[in-house]
Amino acid sequence: MTIEATAILAVAIVLSAFCAILGQARLQRSSTTLVEILVLSGLGLGTLLTPLPINRYFLVGVLGMAAFSLFKGHGAATIKTISLAQITLAILLVLGSSFSDHSFMIWAGLVLGVTLIPLFPFHLPFASLVSCSHGTMSGLWTTVFLSLGLAELTELTTILSEGIPAAISWLALGSALFASFKCLGQIHIRSLLAYATIAQVSMLWGLTTVFSTFSEWLIPFGLTIALIMTGLLFTYQCIQQRLGSHSIGTLPGLALVMPRLGVLLIILITIAVMLPLIPVLSGLPALPTADNQDICLVIMCFIIFIVWMFGSWYFSHLLHQTAFGKARPGIPYTDFTAREISALTLLIAAASYSGLFF
């Protein structure tokens, strides 16, 4: 991976951590969460910026922190056990790859890739972390996981184009379908956004198996997904800090009583709906496809169509059930502060620049 690409991923982690800190003003556990933000972002930066094999130990630190967060979380016991087992396997592979040959490092990188940029059925650690993390940590976990996953996937692009692209394409298609259907049945906002992210990143895997030079587009497009989903998670965390945990549809009409929230939420969800169209608008179809990848090209088109079609529905439903409608009386609504507006504006600006102008 080039120095420029590494710097971009590092900046994304720093930006997400800074915005997470800005969004912590109203949280009672602010000091504890602040330490977690600093530790996680530091470990993520160490993974990106230090040389081999030191960076693998920083990655073990990130995975170990994820395992600890899952262990003390309140998720279902079966899901927690599977997630911890997968993270333990990933840690062992990371440690083993520091002392093994190139072929073992490839397989270790592939397992890390499908864990950090989650594909079904390897999605449980990511989905559990985003759904169960407190404060703005859910958004930071999203950026850190996807940034480190993009670094791994960049190293794997040559292998994917020469080795097992068809299997990865089918796995990405299954992941897009599974995550999209899961979104339709979610009543909790963070769980919906976690599975929406899984559906969105399936496009990264599908595109990687088709276009031989997609590595030039991989990081900007991947960071656009990460920053937009982080922005949505931050937005709903700020709402939760004011009004408590609630299911989708129980607090409608927020745009009327919190107009600054309404504007930012409409912008974020509009960009989220348009994410599958960004490769088309950015001229990606002009890239040369890899040889003998006709099946993968068809599958990739299905993936993009599925993500766009389902995303248009559940994101629109989320916006309608949250921002529009009649606000409930007797609730002390408080609009976003300058700190929260600044954090979300930075994320929107960075995601827009990465997706359209980078």
Side-chain angles (χ1 to χ4, degrees):
M1 189 168 63
T2 65
I3 296 176
E4 181 183 4
T6 302
I8 293 170
L9 294 173
V11 169
I13 292 178
V14 171
L15 176 64
S16 183
F18 176 69
C19 294
I21 293 171
L22 287 180
Q24 286 298 119
R26 292 175 172 266
L27 197 64
Q28 293 180 353
R29 297 182 58 184
S30 180
S31 58
T32 302
T33 306
L34 177 61
V35 172
E36 293 180 352
I37 291 171
L38 294 176
V39 171
L40 178 58
S41 57
L43 291 171
L45 291 174
T47 304
L48 291 172
L49 300 178
T50 56
L52 281 169
I54 299 174
N55 64 343
R56 312 311 279 177
Y57 303 134
F58 278 104
L59 180 55
V60 168
V62 172
L63 295 171
M65 188 173 177
F68 179 73
S69 298
L70 289 173
F71 179 76
K72 68 177 185 179
H74 301 290
T78 302
I79 294 177
K80 183 185 295 187
T81 301
I82 296 173
S83 300
L84 290 173
Q86 183 177 335
I87 291 178
T88 301
L89 174 62
I91 290 174
L92 293 175
L93 290 174
V94 170
L95 293 174
S97 65
S98 303
F99 309 100
S100 59
D101 57 13
H102 182 65
S103 60
F104 183 85
M105 291 181 64
I106 292 173
W107 287 106
L110 189 58
V111 172
L112 284 172
V114 297
T115 301
L116 296 171
I117 302 181
L119 284 180
F120 173 81
F122 308 100
H123 65 288
L124 288 179
F126 176 83
S128 301
L129 275 173
V130 174
S131 300
C132 300
S133 295
H134 56 81
T136 52
M137 283 298 294
S138 56
L140 183 59
W141 276 116
T142 299
T143 300
V144 170
F145 257 50
L146 295 189
S147 295
L148 301 184
L150 288 168
E152 293 290 337
L153 188 53
T154 301
E155 301 296 329
L156 291 171
T157 50
T158 302
I159 306 301
L160 292 178
S161 63
E162 297 177 354
I164 51 173
I168 294 295
S169 293
W170 284 109
L171 193 63
L173 177 60
S175 184
L177 283 168
F178 170 80
S180 296
F181 278 113
K182 285 286 288 187
C183 287
L184 299 182
Q186 296 299 320
I187 60 173
H188 299 292
I189 294 174
R190 277 197 292 192
S191 296
L192 186 151
L193 293 177
Y195 282 101
T197 304
I198 294 169
Q200 298 281 356
V201 299
S202 65
M203 294 187 294
L204 295 175
W205 289 97
L207 290 165
T208 301
T209 59
V210 173
F211 296 107
S212 56
T213 58
F214 183 64
S215 57
E216 302 172 6
W217 299 71
L218 175 64
I219 290 177
F221 183 41
L223 285 182
T224 302
I225 296 173
L227 294 174
I228 288 299
M229 302 312 296
T230 296
L232 285 170
L233 286 163
F234 282 0
T235 300
Y236 283 102
Q237 176 56 38
C238 292
I239 297 173
Q240 182 177 331
Q241 290 174 17
R242 289 166 167 79
L243 306 175
S245 300
H246 60 278
S247 302
I248 298 173
T250 57
L251 285 175
L254 295 183
L256 297 176
V257 292
M258 303 167 65
R260 285 173 286 189
L261 157 70
V263 172
L264 292 170
L265 188 56
I266 290 171
I267 293 173
L268 282 165
I269 289 184
T270 300
I271 299 175
V273 171
M274 294 181 63
L275 281 174
L277 304 179
I278 288 178
V280 178
L281 297 176
S282 300
L284 191 59
L287 293 180
T289 59
D291 295 334
N292 301 319
Q293 298 298 338
D294 293 339
I295 295 178
C296 294
L297 181 60
V298 173
I299 295 174
M300 182 208 69
C301 293
F302 272 113
I303 292 172
I304 292 177
F305 175 74
I306 289 167
V307 174
W308 174 76
M309 181 180 66
F310 280 90
S312 298
W313 191 91
Y314 57 71
F315 279 127
S316 299
H317 176 72
L318 179 62
L319 180 63
H320 176 74
Q321 295 293 327
T322 304
F324 302 125
K326 184 179 180 180
R328 294 173 57 185
I331 297 177
Y333 297 103
T334 305
D335 208 352
F336 278 14
T337 64
R339 290 174 54 156
E340 293 163 334
I341 293 171
S342 299
L344 291 171
T345 301
L346 284 172
L347 289 171
I348 292 171
S352 301
Y353 177 77
S354 178
L356 298 177
F357 303 109
F358 194 81

